[in-house]
Amino acid sequence: MNVTLPTAEALRTALAGLLDGLPPKQATQAVDRLIASYRGTTPTDAPVLRDRADVVAYAAYRMPATFEAVRAALDALREAAPEWEPATHTDVGGGTGAASWAVAGAWDGPETTVLDWAEPALALGRELAEAGGPPALRAARWQRARIGAALELAPTDLVTVSYVLKELTPAARTELVDAAAGAAQAVVIVEPGTPDGYARVIEARDRLIAAGLSVAAPCPHSAACPIEPGTDWCHFSARVSRSSLHRQVKGGTLSHEDEKFSYVVATRFPVEPVAARVTRRPQIRKGQVLLELCTRDEALRRETVTRRHGALYRAARDTDWGDAWPPPPEEE
């Protein structure tokens, strides 16, 4: 059962009430500090989110973007394995639970455990879930745990690790990815869509494959990434509705912004990856559409679709960055 849209609306509604008790100046200062922390080097011996003001600012500012990025990765997993449905889910470093909201929107009722080392984040996540989350999320377990080295994960169907790896040392990152690979039937890792975020995703991808998992998305294959290191990076974009806090902090007027993210989905069960993935925003020109593709034969290539292709051309005009290509027959 797909309840993504109602879940997204419920999350926005729950977040809308967060700022009522937080002075605007305090919210702005908390967001500014958090942005500086995430852009710099975060120490791994202390949580970034220190108190409720930090957590409220983070939730209002970052949860919608994290939700949309994880939702896109989960959509790719569902596309590759339409019959699979997780009964259990562990959200590693889940904080206030954005990834868990996305999971609750993708499937009806997985039993969720959120692990994080910031107790204020867990408390607010529980509060948000109880305020407007779907039943499975309201029943979730919110547990404090040190994320990184020596983390032990119980067997589970799905593990999500979103925007967490940057906060860890290289050694802790590898231990976390190995723990996820050993515990789960499917692992979803999401990082910022920057060159270093992509590098962390590729590192995790390699370890997941070495642990016996197969890549379900975004790659059409489980071979080495065809991008030459240092020349480019694979990332995608998700449209995010901007809250009043977004507009207040950034001074913008647009109702939306685009979240750039990199991700990998790997599984221990059979999947059918797409034949090719659109890796850049399609270029629509007069009578033609240019698509940058990562293909199943492990190559990057450009495909030009023109009016003479008929239905395929119309489909190309509706194709978005990150979509499968060619589209399923029913979408043509």
Side-chain angles (χ1 to χ4, degrees):
M1 177 180 176
N2 185 354
V3 291
T4 300
L5 184 58
T7 301
E9 292 174 347
L11 177 59
R12 284 194 291 270
T13 300
L15 288 172
L18 276 181
L19 298 179
D20 290 346
L22 188 66
K25 183 177 180 180
Q26 186 177 0
T28 301
Q29 290 174 342
V31 167
D32 286 343
R33 189 186 67 77
L34 293 174
I35 291 174
S37 295
Y38 281 111
R39 287 177 177 169
T41 300
T42 304
T44 59
D45 58 352
V48 175
L49 304 177
R50 301 178 306 190
D51 53 31
R52 184 176 174 85
D54 277 358
V55 174
V56 169
Y58 169 82
Y61 183 70
R62 282 299 306 166
M63 275 189 78
T66 301
F67 172 89
E68 293 296 345
V70 175
R71 180 201 58 78
L74 296 176
D75 283 350
L77 170 56
R78 296 173 68 202
E79 183 177 36
E83 301 301 319
W84 183 78
E85 183 169 341
T88 54
H89 163 231
T90 301
D91 188 359
V92 178
T96 53
S100 293
W101 280 80
V103 169
W107 295 282
D108 188 16
E111 185 179 295
T112 289
T113 299
V114 183
L115 303 178
D116 200 272
W117 63 357
E119 183 59 41
L122 293 169
L124 188 66
R126 186 184 301 110
E127 180 182 323
L128 284 170
E130 291 173 352
L137 194 58
R138 293 199 296 272
R141 292 182 293 271
W142 303 78
Q143 298 180 359
R144 189 172 186 182
R146 184 177 178 84
I147 307 303
L151 176 67
E152 295 184 3
L153 296 177
T156 185
D157 290 335
L158 173 66
V159 164
T160 54
V161 185
S162 55
Y163 297 88
V164 172
L165 298 184
K166 183 183 186 300
E167 300 180 34
L168 306 177
T169 64
R173 284 201 298 267
T174 60
E175 289 195 39
L176 173 54
V177 172
D178 290 349
Q185 294 299 304
V187 179
V188 176
I189 294 176
V190 181
E191 283 287 292
T194 58
D196 60 328
Y198 160 73
R200 290 189 293 273
V201 166
I202 287 298
E203 176 187 302
R205 180 185 186 273
D206 290 344
R207 296 197 72 84
L208 293 171
I209 294 171
L213 283 74
S214 299
V215 175
C219 322
H221 57 81
S222 294
C225 177
I227 296 176
E228 182 180 345
T231 63
D232 202 354
W233 71 99
C234 181
H235 64 293
F236 302 94
S237 179
R239 180 60 53 91
V240 183
S241 297
R242 299 179 76 187
S243 67
S244 59
L245 179 60
H246 279 81
R247 293 191 289 271
Q248 173 186 314
V249 171
K250 291 191 171 183
T253 58
L254 292 178
S255 62
H256 64 269
E257 65 180 14
D258 292 324
E259 171 73 5
K260 304 298 193 301
F261 65 98
S262 296
Y263 77 98
V264 64
V265 178
T267 70
R268 289 195 177 277
F269 50 83
V271 293
E272 185 63 32
V274 299
R277 179 83 59 187
V278 179
T279 58
R280 287 289 184 274
R281 197 177 303 280
Q283 299 179 47
I284 300 178
R285 299 178 179 175
K286 186 175 181 180
Q288 63 181 11
V289 181
L290 306 182
L291 301 176
E292 301 291 341
L293 302 173
C294 180
T295 66
R296 195 171 286 172
D297 62 5
E298 305 162 33
L300 299 171
R301 64 179 174 86
R302 171 177 286 186
E303 181 168 321
T304 301
V305 186
T306 65
R307 289 186 188 277
R308 65 183 176 84
H309 290 100
L312 199 61
Y313 169 71
R314 292 190 293 274
R317 289 181 60 88
D318 292 333
T319 294
D320 203 358
W321 185 3
D323 285 352
W325 184 259
E330 63 270 21
E331 293 185 11
E332 294 182 14

